[in-house]
Amino acid sequence: MTGEAMNVETIRERVNDDWNRIVAMLSDKIALASVSAQGITGEHMKRSAQFVADQMKLVGIDDAHVVQSENPDGTPGAWEVVGSKVVDPQAPTVLLYAHHDVQPVPDRAAWRTDPFTATTVGDRLYGRGAADDGGGIAIHSGALHALGGDLPCNIKLFFEGEEEMGSPSFIPFLKAHRDEFESDVIIVADSGNWSASIPSLTTSLRGNTDVDVTVKVLEHPVHSGQFGGPILDAVTLSAMLISSMYDSNGDLAVPGLESQEPVGGLQRDLDEATFRADSSTVPGYRLAGTGSLAQRVWTKPSVSVIGFDAHPVDGSFNVIANTARFRLSLRTAPAQDPAEAQKALADFLVAHAPFGAQVSVANGENGMGWAMDPDCKAVGVAEQAMSDAFGVTPVNKGEGGSIPFIPELQRLFPQAQVIVTGPEDPQANAHSPNESISLSGLRNNIVTEALFLSRYAQ
């Protein structure tokens, strides 16, 4: 580890000189239509992985290459990109993560532009995967190019090909390639900033679990005129059971579900007007729950009914439904064990069966939450790099969603410091129509990562 860290002006000049390549690369990546939902083992995903590997070779990771993972059952898995560059065996090693697969486009008519043709409108580049997570790949590529021969730390790469499908082969791949993940710092570029002009580190992610609930009141359907009144239909009983999870304020009232304060303290609460606009709430809707809006989204548990089996309105007739089934998605506080939360929820539902109906619960999969260590060295270096690159003090934030592989990485490599960054902002529309990335924000994100890599090794 010799020499001094590069200054922000030199890095910004190098990023500006490289800008046309970066935008062209991101545009070409969008055109690949790397939709993992169309088959993670498909040739289109292999082409996507090879494209990314070739791009990493162009910025100095000479051994970047494609490897096919293996699912837990031994079947072929996703096409992954790995690579490394050792500049000094005594220098720290940084693992750069992003994913090259993208979400599908179920309704092209909802897009204002062709989702797989990069289109610039003002400061934003539109296209599926522009932000999630082509932007993460662009950040890593741009930062490595900017540092070039001045790179002072060792680099490892892992660009995943199935993140949008829940990463089923991630753990087997990680265990089979453990040496390729061993590092001092892990940068996960799959999150976002407070806004396009205000940077953020992601301080926490909620965990997640789900359960399928069946409510049964009769052995078979019966006539609603003959039996209605004393017997409530299974859909109504399900509605009663769901509503029993909440108190009058809309807070979950299920014993055993934990809440916590925002990790590292709350620097700024979410703006309610912006939150309402981004979520498209109807006029007059009162936001549920108590506490800061940020806490309600980032670190308190929430339950959503994400599926419900019932007879459709069209074609309905006068019978009392004997059974109903619904799926609950539970987001857990970052520090709570999701299996523990899942059991608490299941126990509550069975114990609160309305009018003695039969309630059975089938457990789904669990994903652990994650919380940043706000006092580790990597966080301090990253926050200063963000401040210098964006010209404003970062406002760190949690995320209500989940990235289960991050706690798995932390569990298997407890010595590694993890920082979660990314190219998204509130207008990015990741997973939605008209996904886009702020080009000015992307430029500053690249400068940030280059500053971090330059300074962390000093």
Side-chain angles (χ1 to χ4, degrees), residues 30-54:
I30 290 169
L32 289 173
S34 312
V35 179
S36 52
Q38 294 176 356
I40 60 172
T41 62
E43 284 298 314
H44 70 299
M45 295 307 301
K46 186 177 181 180
R47 284 194 299 271
S48 174
Q50 189 60 57
F51 172 84
V52 173
D54 291 343

Side-chain angles (χ1 to χ4, degrees), residues 74-96:
T75 57
W79 299 102
E80 321 282 31
V81 179
V82 295
S84 63
K85 182 181 182 68
V86 177
V87 298
D88 180 353
Q90 302 303 313
T93 298
V94 179
L95 172 67
L96 304 179

Side-chain angles (χ1 to χ4, degrees), residues 206-211 245-246 252 254 256-258 300-306 327-333 336-346 365-367 400 402:
R206 288 193 291 191
N208 67 290
T209 186
D210 59 71
V211 296
M245 295 187 295
Y246 299 90
L252 280 172
V254 177
L257 296 187
E258 299 175 0
K300 293 181 73 171
S302 69
V303 170
S304 300
V305 181
I306 61 171
R327 178 168 295 174
L328 299 178
S329 172
L330 167 62
R331 299 287 178 168
T332 63
Q336 183 165 29
D337 181 341
E340 174 188 283
Q342 184 185 63
K343 183 178 185 304
L345 178 60
E365 295 184 355
N366 297 315
S402 310

Side-chain angles (χ1 to χ4, degrees), residues 241 244 255 343-357 359-361:
L241 181 59
S244 72
K343 183 178 185 304
L345 178 60
D347 290 347
F348 178 91
L349 294 168
V350 172
H352 287 75
F355 291 94
V359 174
S360 58
V361 180

Side-chain angles (χ1 to χ4, degrees), residues 368-446:
M368 186 66 195
W370 171 81
M372 179 185 80
D373 177 2
D375 300 318
C376 73
K377 174 186 174 182
V379 168
V381 175
E383 288 178 334
Q384 187 59 57
M386 285 181 165
S387 180
D388 293 343
F390 281 78
V392 296
T393 301
V395 177
N396 293 339
K397 63 185 183 67
E399 289 286 352
S402 310
I403 310 180
F405 74 82
I406 294 180
E408 287 295 329
L409 277 174
Q410 195 85 80
R411 181 179 65 83
L412 291 169
F413 303 103
Q415 81 290 346
Q417 299 176 25
V418 178
I419 57 175
V420 181
T421 64
E424 298 176 23
D425 61 64
Q427 281 73 54
N429 282 351
H431 293 210
S432 301
N434 303 305
E435 180 179 350
S436 68
I437 188 171
S438 164
L439 294 173
S440 59
L442 173 61
R443 196 185 304 246
N444 286 333
N445 275 315
I446 293 170

Side-chain angles (χ1 to χ4, degrees), residues 183-261:
S183 54
D184 300 291
V185 179
I186 301 171
I187 299 178
V188 178
D190 189 24
S191 188
N193 295 307
W194 191 269
S195 70
S197 59
I198 301 176
S200 303
L201 286 178
T202 297
T203 59
S204 65
L205 300 159
R206 288 193 291 191
N208 67 290
T209 186
D210 59 71
V211 296
D212 287 352
V213 185
T214 299
V215 176
K216 182 176 181 179
V217 64
L218 300 167
E219 295 298 333
H220 56 79
V222 297
H223 193 285
S224 61
Q226 187 174 2
F227 295 100
I231 299 175
L232 299 177
D233 64 90
V235 176
T236 297
L237 294 168
S238 296
M240 290 179 174
L241 181 59
I242 292 167
S243 66
S244 72
M245 295 187 295
Y246 299 90
D247 64 19
S248 60
N249 293 315
D251 282 311
L252 280 172
V254 177
L257 296 187
E258 299 175 0
S259 298
Q260 63 187 90
E261 294 297 321

